[in-house]
Amino acid sequence: MFTIYTPAEAFADTEEKIEQTVNLYTSQIQSTYSFSRSRLRSESSTQQKLAEENGYNKFATPDTMTIDSAEVKANILKAEDHDGEYSVVADITTILHQRPNKNVTITIGDEERDVLDSSATDMHRLTLAKDVNVQTGYRIISDEIIGAADSQVDIKMVSHNAPFILQTEESAAPSAAMESKAGFDYLTAVTYAEKWTENGSNCTNPEYPSDPAGPFCTGAQCTYFVSQVLHVGGLPATDIDIHNYKSDDRWGFKKQPHNYFTSFTWGAADNNYRYMKNYSNIFDAENNYHRLGAGSLIYADWQEEGKNDGHIDHAMVVVGSKVIRDDNGRVVDAYPIICQKSVNRHDWDFQNTLKDAPGAKWYGLQLRY
């Protein structure tokens, strides 16, 4: 159950009513994906308009993909009472079952797929106002998405106040079974990325370090997750210590009694980009994201268009591609399929990511196959 911060005189059933209101809202969002979505009882309420904005209109790419079905669910994290209105923070997950349209091919790893099951989880801040005319007693009057750009935390600002203790144990080396002849098995990396994003949670594998900032796994998990994927795929970590962990030519982590000690390159997107580009020996710079294949990386400078500061804020893993051909079989366009954290995306069409962040500046690293 979620936590309600509310005065003592509040009714005992407030929690249930809030949950009912949010569930009704997710049902409205889900209904926007039906073929009769524009006929939703001809409603023009604020709540219905918000549902439209956060449903089909937000995630559909009808020119290349057909959505067969969709499921929308919410996980309420907390609710705060503000003079009778409630501010509710909830993770809302949208699961899309899609088929590629004619002349569109979907590939994940090295496998062509007839169906793409994707999911997106965003953290929403909902405002609920009292309304005696609705069954739940509340209606949603605003919906603010706490986006990836807002949830990122520069690793230089993350507190590492725990005493630094050097351990003799090195960063765990990948097993021989994970290694390809080139030393990196991108198919193993892709499988790992899919596994740890499919549940919609922003949390990551507890056997690896993650960002300690923020509750509910809301810290800047994106680059920590990219590092996990690469390490599992066979990219060897370097040794780090108190003297070199800030250096761009070091990438790794060490276990401590109560937490992990990591290099800046392990958890900060800007530092990670420089290490992978200049020192990993498995990537080449490729800023044309249309060309990036499975196992490659995409980075973003999230600032509004024209105001990008050159500091990379976000990282994601390419797990496949969407290729579009004309009737003669010639490739006319292509988009990566990605997995990421902060916010969670599973087998997500990068064409949708572009819609969400029109002002971002993109940087790519193409895996050397």
Side-chain angles (χ1 to χ4, degrees), residues 174-361:
S175 67
M178 292 180 178
E179 295 188 23
S180 65
K181 291 181 180 179
F184 184 79
D185 186 344
Y186 76 94
L187 294 179
T188 295
V190 165
T191 298
Y192 181 90
E194 287 194 291
K195 173 183 177 181
W196 285 96
T197 54
E198 65 182 351
N199 65 359
S201 169
N202 196 45
C203 296
T204 61
N205 186 347
E207 295 303 314
Y208 277 98
S210 61
D211 182 16
F216 318 124
C217 300
T218 58
Q221 305 295 346
C222 65
T223 311
Y224 285 87
F225 181 65
V226 167
S227 288
Q228 291 178 29
V229 170
L230 295 174
H231 193 250
V232 169
L235 183 62
T238 66
D239 189 27
I240 61 168
D241 58 37
I242 195 170
H243 303 291
N244 63 24
Y245 74 101
K246 297 181 181 180
S247 300
D248 280 350
D249 63 350
R250 299 288 173 159
W251 176 74
F253 68 93
K254 288 181 180 292
K255 291 184 178 181
Q256 298 194 123
H258 303 294
N259 58 13
Y260 288 91
F261 178 74
T262 65
S263 65
F264 275 19
T265 57
W266 187 274
D270 200 58
N271 307 68
N272 183 270
Y273 173 76
R274 291 194 295 271
Y275 178 85
M276 296 306 162
K277 177 184 176 182
N278 299 319
Y279 300 103
S280 71
N281 297 315
I282 65 169
F283 293 108
D284 293 310
E286 176 54 85
N287 292 338
N288 184 347
Y289 51 75
H290 296 282
R291 298 177 179 174
L292 297 174
S296 301
L297 305 176
I298 302 177
Y299 299 82
D301 178 354
W302 283 129
Q303 273 65 36
E304 294 180 4
E305 192 169 5
K307 299 180 182 179
N308 306 90
D309 61 5
H311 184 87
I312 293 174
D313 307 288
H314 182 58
M316 62 192 81
V317 179
V318 178
V319 297
S321 62
K322 177 177 73 173
V323 177
I324 306 158
R325 293 176 169 84
D326 63 19
D327 290 336
N328 295 317
R330 293 174 297 192
V331 175
V332 295
D333 211 347
Y335 293 92
I337 305 296
I338 61 97
C339 289
Q340 68 170 42
K341 296 291 183 180
S342 301
V343 290
N344 196 86
R345 294 289 187 267
H346 172 72
D347 286 357
W348 196 246
D349 188 343
F350 190 68
Q351 190 175 4
N352 260 321
T353 303
L354 295 172
K355 288 167 57 179
D356 281 345
K361 183 175 181 180

Side-chain angles (χ1 to χ4, degrees), residues 73-125:
K73 55 187 179 180
N75 176 33
I76 300 175
L77 304 174
K78 68 174 182 177
E80 294 181 325
D81 186 358
H82 297 287
D83 297 324
E85 290 187 351
Y86 279 91
S87 175
V88 176
V89 175
D91 279 337
I92 296 182
T93 298
T94 299
I95 302 169
L96 302 178
H97 305 285
Q98 305 177 86
R99 286 181 292 107
N101 293 346
K102 180 184 177 182
N103 297 334
V104 178
T105 303
I106 298 294
T107 303
I108 302 295
D110 61 354
E111 175 190 1
E112 186 174 326
R113 296 189 182 178
D114 296 328
V115 176
L116 182 65
D117 291 328
S118 305
S119 68
T121 301
D122 290 304
M123 184 175 288
H124 292 241
R125 182 178 290 111

Side-chain angles (χ1 to χ4, degrees), residues 4 33 329:
I4 294 184
Y33 292 94

